[in-house]
Amino acid sequence: MTKERVMTTKNGAFKSKAAVAGMVMSANTMKAAREERVRMMAEWDQRSNYRTDLADVGPGRVSSFPASLFVAPKSIILSWKRKEGVKSVVAHLRKYPFIQEILIWNNNPDIVLSTTHDFPTNSSNSQTWPSITVFNSVANLHDFSKYTTCTLAKYDHCYIQDDDWINLSLDSMYSLFIDQPSSLITSTIPAMAAQQRSWTFQNPQLGLHTGFSWLGAGAFMPKKAVFKFMMQLGGSNLWKERLQLADLFFALWRNQYPVVLSHALAPLDQSSSWSGRIDQWSVVYEHMTDAMFRLTVVLSGTGIVHGSPHRVGAKSDFVADEELPSFKDRHTRSSCSNDKCLFQTNVDMFPFPESIKWHPDSSTSPSSTTTNPTQQHRDILQAHEARFKSLNYPKPDFIAMHTYHYAVDQDLSTCWQSFLPLEKGSYFGLRFVLPLLELGERANSIELWSTFESTLNSLGKYMVVKASVDGTNWMTCTGETERATGSIRMKDLRCTDVGRKIGIQLDTRGIQFLRFEMKEPTAAPIEICGIRVGDMLL
């Protein structure tokens, strides 16, 4: 019988060669598992945030809206170095009838854009093409040019975006804008939407209720809000570098919570981007903390910022009352991937803004004697973030794997999860861009998919289907419910409306809202992987 060779470990204990080999194998296996998880999470994060189907979907994407509309925003495109990008954006925007004027501000003095040569009009179809005006700047005015250009609008609203995105959710955003024309409607990736929720600020004693939102991927806004912002800037003592990054002030100084749709975005060429050329986050923290400090000072009535007085009456430039619908009553979360609907739910993954109060003493002016004012700005804002994220808050990997738009991305392998169990009265549902009949749907059947048996059981036992024309008055629907593999189906739906029975497909006014409401709480979070209405998979 041969003796097994033994080895001494660092702590002096004896291990057999086989045991040591087993430890090495175990360590290698654990390392491989960690690396695989990192790879998997990177893949999910990329998948949840960015659309890779632009080449296939983009050319065929057309608006569901008819040419005759009662609101006609214009579009402002901020161009920087990417000439082909701005041409692609313009070609895409021209397919949407509510874009009736396009103004392009070219911030790159080294190239010249020409309306005639770069954006020729289709002479055979000129009536449907928006007018285009190009401004070739002699210097890079950065974000500030968005707002000065918007003031030149023929119309009362502006749509703004940069030249490195194609917005595949324009109809969805526009339909939400019609409902809330006084709000700032923006679109961003799920990872940034989660970050922005930690950048919401409230203090009822000051009348503070605001939040930050990016505008570069697409934003609808009333022109009067831009005029008010220009007055705010005129009453401040912001210097050139601050004005150039006006985007970091605009949403916050509205003193209103922005409406943010969270879904995957379709990027164009992102080279030469702002975030790629500078320390983006240091600049963001510095400017946002400055914006919040100034806003807090003005709302408190002090009127002095960094030793310089705001103009007389500066406080009147900042809105005092929170606009309606209030933050808690805003339940639209994401666009459907086909851009024919929006996903709605009153189940919010994230803490409400009032969960954390923005304290005036937290926004104390950075000391003029500090050796690192940028770090001081970062510390102030990160302390607010930390208080927010210490609440019951989903981690980034959960957001990447279970974000809202996975319920309506036409992919049954991706699923939205509610993070928390549903309470009685909790719901998820759809707001269609146009009534179902106008979308060509005969919607007397619905199917919901999930991999959670608990979800399918809860939907089968406790779910009530409701429909609405206007989103305010709801009809209760009845029909035959059956279980299938991985889904629950509702057939022969009929809805009660003022004592009379109608089928969804027979309502001449047009059903535009569907809601799946729980009449009892669920024991666990729910998961929805897909929704089919009639023949339309969402």
Side-chain angles (χ1 to χ4, degrees):
M1 182 175 181
T2 59
K3 292 184 178 180
E4 185 178 34
R5 183 180 177 185
V6 296
M7 301 178 67
T8 305
T9 61
K10 288 184 178 179
N11 62 7
F14 288 94
K15 298 286 185 181
S16 71
K17 182 178 180 182
V20 172
M23 291 174 62
V24 173
M25 289 178 62
S26 178
N28 289 338
T29 300
M30 291 176 62
K31 180 181 178 182
R34 286 195 298 268
E35 291 176 347
E36 175 61 17
R37 175 167 174 78
V38 170
R39 184 203 64 77
M40 180 189 72
M41 285 311 307
E43 180 182 315
W44 271 99
D45 186 62
Q46 179 81 3
R47 187 178 187 184
S48 65
N49 288 315
Y50 299 105
R51 296 191 63 160
T52 59
D53 61 348
L54 177 58
D56 298 325
V57 175
R61 180 58 55 88
V62 294
S63 178
S64 296
F65 285 100
S68 56
L69 295 165
F70 56 89
V71 179
K74 74 170 191 172
S75 174
I76 296 127
I77 304 170
L78 183 65
S79 175
W80 169 246
K81 285 193 175 181
R82 297 168 288 244
K83 186 174 182 179
E84 293 307 311
V86 72
K87 291 168 70 174
S88 297
V89 172
V90 169
H92 182 70
L93 292 177
R94 279 176 152 174
K95 297 186 289 186
Y96 292 83
F98 46 82
I99 301 295
Q100 298 197 349
E101 177 189 24
I102 296 178
L103 303 183
I104 303 167
W105 188 275
N106 173 24
N107 259 329
N108 186 358
D110 295 331
I111 64 173
V112 175
L113 294 177
S114 166
T115 303
T116 303
H117 295 97
D118 294 313
F119 312 102
T121 299
N122 184 345
S123 58
S124 64
N125 197 25
S126 59
Q127 294 299 314
T128 63
W129 284 56
S131 63
I132 296 179
T133 303
V134 175
F135 300 93
N136 288 297
S137 180
V138 296
N140 187 359
L141 301 183
H142 297 273
D143 298 337
F144 184 63
S145 57
K146 296 178 184 178
Y147 305 99
T148 55
T149 308
C150 179
T151 62
L152 304 175
K154 293 179 181 178
Y155 306 104
D156 294 332
H157 297 84
C158 297
Y159 168 80
I160 288 177
Q161 76 163 87
D162 292 344
D163 63 357
D164 51 354
W165 302 96
I166 287 292
N167 190 338
L168 296 176
S169 302
L170 264 172
D171 275 354
S172 302
M173 290 184 69
Y174 180 75
S175 63
L176 189 56
F177 156 72
I178 290 175
D179 287 346
Q180 299 175 228
S182 297
S183 299
L184 173 63
I185 313 290
T186 67
S187 176
T188 193
I189 58 177
M192 183 51 62
Q195 180 66 58
Q196 289 176 184
R197 285 296 291 268
S198 70
W199 292 340
T200 53
F201 309 92
Q202 70 86 38
N203 186 310
Q205 285 73 36
L206 296 175
L208 175 69
H209 35 71
T210 193
F212 176 79
S213 185
W214 294 109
L215 308 182
F220 285 93
M221 64 192 66
K223 189 170 66 172
K224 64 181 181 181
V226 175
F227 278 122
K228 183 176 287 291
F229 182 54
M230 299 300 283
M231 292 180 63
Q232 292 168 345
L233 291 176
S236 71
N237 60 331
L238 287 180
W239 53 97
K240 177 182 176 181
E241 288 74 15
R242 290 284 195 261
L243 291 175
Q244 287 179 334
L245 297 180
D247 275 3
L248 298 175
F249 288 78
F250 174 68
L252 291 170
W253 280 10
R254 287 188 71 246
N255 197 26
Q256 300 290 354
Y257 300 116
V259 178
V260 181
L261 294 179
S262 167
H263 46 246
L265 300 179
L268 293 171
D269 178 13
Q270 301 278 306
S271 63
S272 303
S273 65
W274 173 70
S275 58
R277 291 182 290 110
I278 60 177
D279 184 356
Q280 179 190 24
W281 291 111
S282 292
V283 174
V284 167
Y285 283 119
E286 179 181 353
H287 285 66
M288 286 181 58
T289 308
D290 187 26
M292 286 306 303
F293 166 69
R294 292 167 181 271
L295 178 59
T296 302
V297 168
V298 172
L299 293 179
S300 68
T302 305
I304 302 294
V305 178
H306 296 314
S308 299
H310 275 254
R311 68 172 186 82
V312 176
K315 187 175 181 179
S316 65
D317 293 340
F318 295 83
V319 177
D321 298 325
E322 182 182 353
E323 65 187 10
L324 298 177
S326 65
F327 189 91
K328 284 190 173 182
D329 292 330
R330 297 177 180 178
H331 300 157
T332 304
R333 309 296 179 186
S334 176
S335 296
C336 300
S337 65
N338 64 2
D339 201 27
K340 295 185 183 299
C341 60
L342 298 122
F343 181 69
Q344 298 182 317
T345 178
N346 61 353
V347 182
D348 198 339
M349 288 186 182
F350 307 106
F352 289 118
E354 59 265 31
S355 302
I356 297 296
K357 183 178 180 180
W358 176 259
H359 296 286
D361 57 356
S362 298
S363 55
T364 302
S365 177
S367 171
S368 59
T369 60
T370 181
T371 58
N372 193 348
T374 299
Q375 183 61 46
Q376 190 172 1
H377 281 109
R378 182 187 294 267
D379 291 345
I380 291 171
L381 195 54
Q382 285 186 336
H384 178 81
E385 289 177 345
R387 292 192 297 272
F388 200 83
K389 292 181 178 180
S390 67
L391 303 172
N392 194 12
Y393 193 83
K395 299 295 187 290
D397 57 345
F398 182 93
I399 295 169
M401 296 182 73
H402 308 298
T403 186
Y404 291 116
H405 77 83
Y406 278 160
V408 287
D409 67 343
Q410 297 182 314
D411 184 349
L412 299 183
S413 70
T414 59
C415 310
W416 164 67
Q417 286 186 23
S418 62
F419 185 63
L420 297 173
L422 271 58
E423 301 176 353
K424 180 180 179 179
S426 296
Y427 78 87
F428 61 94
L430 303 166
R431 182 217 192 276
F432 293 95
V433 166
L434 294 176
L436 285 171
L437 278 176
E438 295 183 37
L439 290 172
E441 293 300 319
R442 299 287 177 178
N444 63 341
S445 66
I446 294 173
E447 188 167 10
L448 304 173
W449 281 267
S450 179
T451 66
F452 284 8
E453 188 67 19
S454 59
T455 293
L456 297 175
N457 286 336
S458 294
L459 296 180
K461 293 179 180 179
Y462 306 128
M463 183 179 68
V464 176
V465 181
K466 295 184 177 181
S468 177
V469 172
D470 55 11
T472 301
N473 302 295
W474 293 89
M475 302 173 283
T476 300
C477 304
T478 60
E480 180 184 347
T481 300
E482 64 180 18
R483 285 287 300 272
T485 302
S487 72
I488 185 168
R489 298 171 183 166
M490 292 144 282
K491 301 188 300 182
D492 299 323
L493 284 172
R494 294 292 183 270
C495 307
T496 303
D497 182 15
V498 197
R500 59 193 179 93
K501 297 283 186 177
I502 60 171
I504 291 179
Q505 77 278 17
L506 299 178
D507 188 353
T508 55
R509 295 171 300 166
I511 296 297
Q512 200 158 1
F513 297 83
L514 288 176
R515 176 177 290 184
F516 309 102
E517 186 175 310
M518 303 307 297
K519 57 184 180 181
E520 295 292 339
T522 64
I526 70 165
E527 175 201 75
I528 301 297
C529 304
I531 305 173
R532 181 182 59 80
V533 177
D535 296 326
M536 181 166 52
L537 176 64
L538 305 172

